[in-house]
Amino acid sequence: MPQLTRREWLKAAAVAPAALASGGLLPPLAFAAPTADDIKAVVDKALGFLKTAQKEGGNFLDSPQAEPGLTALVAAALARNGVPADNPVVAKAVGFLEKNVKPDGGVYLKGLSNYMTSLAIVAFKEVNADRKYDKVIAAAGQYVKSLQYADGLTEADASFGGAGYDKPGGRGGPDLSNTHFMVEALLAAGVSKDDPAVQRALRFVSRSQNLKSEFNDQAFAAKAGDADKGGFVYNLAAQNDPKSDKRSPEGGLRSEGGMTYAGLKSFLYAGVGKDDPRVKAAVEWVRKNYTVSANPGLKEKDSGLFYYYHTFAKAMDALGEDPFTDAKGVKHDWRQELFDELKKTQKP
C-alpha cells in the first residue's frame, strides 16, 4: 500500500464519520442544524462501512504513516456522535490505541508521533466516562509537551513554542499543523490554558499569522497584502525559500484556509479573547473567504479539503457566531451548509 500523506489520512478519516464536523471540544448549540436525526442517518451509514473496513487488530490501515492517528480520528468521531464506547468498532479501535501506548507515554507506531499522540489523546478523552484512561491521557500529555521546541531556545527564535512531526532534531521543523493539534490535545488532556507549554505554543501560532504585531516579528507578516492579512500560514520556513509555492505576490506567504481556522481554533480554545487583535484579524479573513466548497488560499480547489473541513468546523463552533455573517453581509447557517456539503460526498 502506498504511503499516505498527512492530509490524505486526515481526509480518509473525515469522509466516513462526516458528522464529526458538527462539533468540536464544545458541545453543539441546541438550535444548531443539522438535526440529531440528520446526523444519525449519516453516522449509521458510516458505521456500517467502518465495520467492513476495520482490520482484525482494530486499526483501519496497515501503513504506519496513518496509524494510530487514523484510528484515533475514527474512534473520536464515532464516540462524539453518539456511538457508545462498547460498540465493537469503537471498542476495537480504542483497544488498538491502547496496544500502541509506549513507555514514554506517546501513542505511535513509527514517526509522526506528535500527530499520532495528539489524536489519541482526544480519542481517549471521548471514551473516558469512567476515568479509565486518566493515567494514559496524562502521560500522553507529558509526551506531547516533550515534543515542543522550547529547551535551549529563547522567545526570539522563530521555532520557539512550535511542534513538528517528532522530537526536535528529527524530521523537519515546527509547523502550524502539528502545533494546533498539540494545543488541542493538551487542553483535552486537562492542561491549564495558563500552562507554559500552551502559552509557548500560542507564541508560535501568533508568528504563523499574516499580521505584523507585538506578537509577530516575522518578516513575511509585514509583506501581507489585503488578500492574506489576518490569515495563517503552514510553515514559517517557507519565507526563506524563494522558490516555495507558498509565496505571495507581495513576497510574503499566502494565507491558507485550513491553517487559518487552525490558528483561530487554537486562540479560542486557549482562551484568547474575541476582542484580541489577532482573533479579530483572523475572523475578518474568514469573513472575506467564507466557503464550504474549497480550501481557500490553495491553488487546487480540493487540496487539503477535508483537513479544511476539520479545522473550519471546530473553529466556527468555538467562535459561536450562529449564523455567521460574511464580508458581503450574507448570513450563513454554517453547520447546515457544511453538513450538506459533507453528506454529498458519502458513498451509497
Side-chain angles (χ1 to χ4, degrees), residues 142-202:
Q142 288 300 314
Y143 176 77
V144 169
K145 281 186 178 184
S146 77
L147 305 181
Q148 190 174 44
Y149 282 69
D151 291 343
L153 301 179
T154 68
E155 289 195 23
D157 193 299
S159 296
F160 182 82
Y165 295 106
D166 295 293
K167 290 190 175 183
R171 172 186 170 190
D175 59 71
L176 181 56
S177 181
N178 271 290
T179 303
H180 89 83
F181 275 113
M182 177 187 72
V183 171
E184 181 174 347
L186 290 177
L187 296 173
V191 173
S192 168
K193 296 175 182 178
D194 296 324
D195 188 275
V198 175
Q199 292 303 308
R200 286 193 294 263
L202 289 181

Side-chain angles (χ1 to χ4, degrees), residues 16-266:
L20 168 64
S22 65
L25 287 180
L26 305 176
L29 300 177
F31 59 83
T35 68
D37 287 343
D38 290 336
I39 294 175
K40 186 176 185 302
V42 171
V43 173
D44 284 350
K45 286 179 66 177
L47 184 59
F49 165 77
L50 290 167
K51 287 179 180 178
T52 66
Q54 191 171 35
K55 307 295 183 181
E56 184 61 32
N59 52 312
F60 289 90
L61 282 179
D62 293 323
S63 168
Q65 290 296 313
E67 296 293 4
L70 178 65
T71 296
L73 276 168
V74 172
L78 292 174
R80 184 173 291 159
N81 285 281
V83 179
D86 60 358
N87 177 277
V89 174
V90 177
K92 286 175 64 177
V94 174
F96 173 77
L97 298 180
E98 289 184 65
K99 292 176 184 176
N100 285 285
V101 174
K102 306 300 183 186
D104 60 13
V107 187
Y108 55 89
L109 283 178
K110 182 181 179 181
L112 305 183
S113 64
N114 179 68
Y115 277 123
M116 303 299 132
T117 306
S118 294
L119 293 165
I121 287 172
V122 174
F124 280 127
K125 183 199 173 193
E126 291 293 337
V127 297
N128 196 36
D130 58 0
R131 311 296 295 271
K132 175 182 178 181
Y133 298 109
D134 280 1
K135 291 184 178 179
V136 171
I137 291 171
Q142 288 300 314
Y143 176 77
V144 169
K145 281 186 178 184
S146 77
L147 305 181
Q148 190 174 44
Y149 282 69
D151 291 343
L153 301 179
T154 68
E155 289 195 23
D157 193 299
S159 296
F160 182 82
Y165 295 106
D166 295 293
K167 290 190 175 183
R171 172 186 170 190
D175 59 71
L176 181 56
S177 181
N178 271 290
T179 303
H180 89 83
F181 275 113
M182 177 187 72
V183 171
E184 181 174 347
L186 290 177
L187 296 173
V191 173
S192 168
K193 296 175 182 178
D194 296 324
D195 188 275
V198 175
Q199 292 303 308
R200 286 193 294 263
L202 289 181
R203 178 73 174 175
F204 183 84
V205 173
S206 296
R207 280 185 165 137
S208 301
Q209 187 174 22
N210 261 315
L211 184 69
K212 192 68 176 178
S213 71
E214 62 180 298
F215 305 101
N216 191 354
D217 55 3
Q218 297 300 293
F220 78 88
K223 301 176 184 178
D226 291 341
D228 295 305
K229 187 176 181 180
F232 286 75
V233 305
Y234 165 60
N235 192 340
L236 301 180
Q239 68 181 312
N240 301 318
D241 180 4
K243 296 182 179 180
S244 173
D245 62 359
K246 302 294 185 181
R247 301 299 288 267
S248 70
E250 295 81 7
L253 296 177
R254 285 184 290 107
S255 293
E256 299 180 8
M259 290 299 97
T260 298
Y261 286 107
L264 177 58
K265 170 178 75 76
S266 298

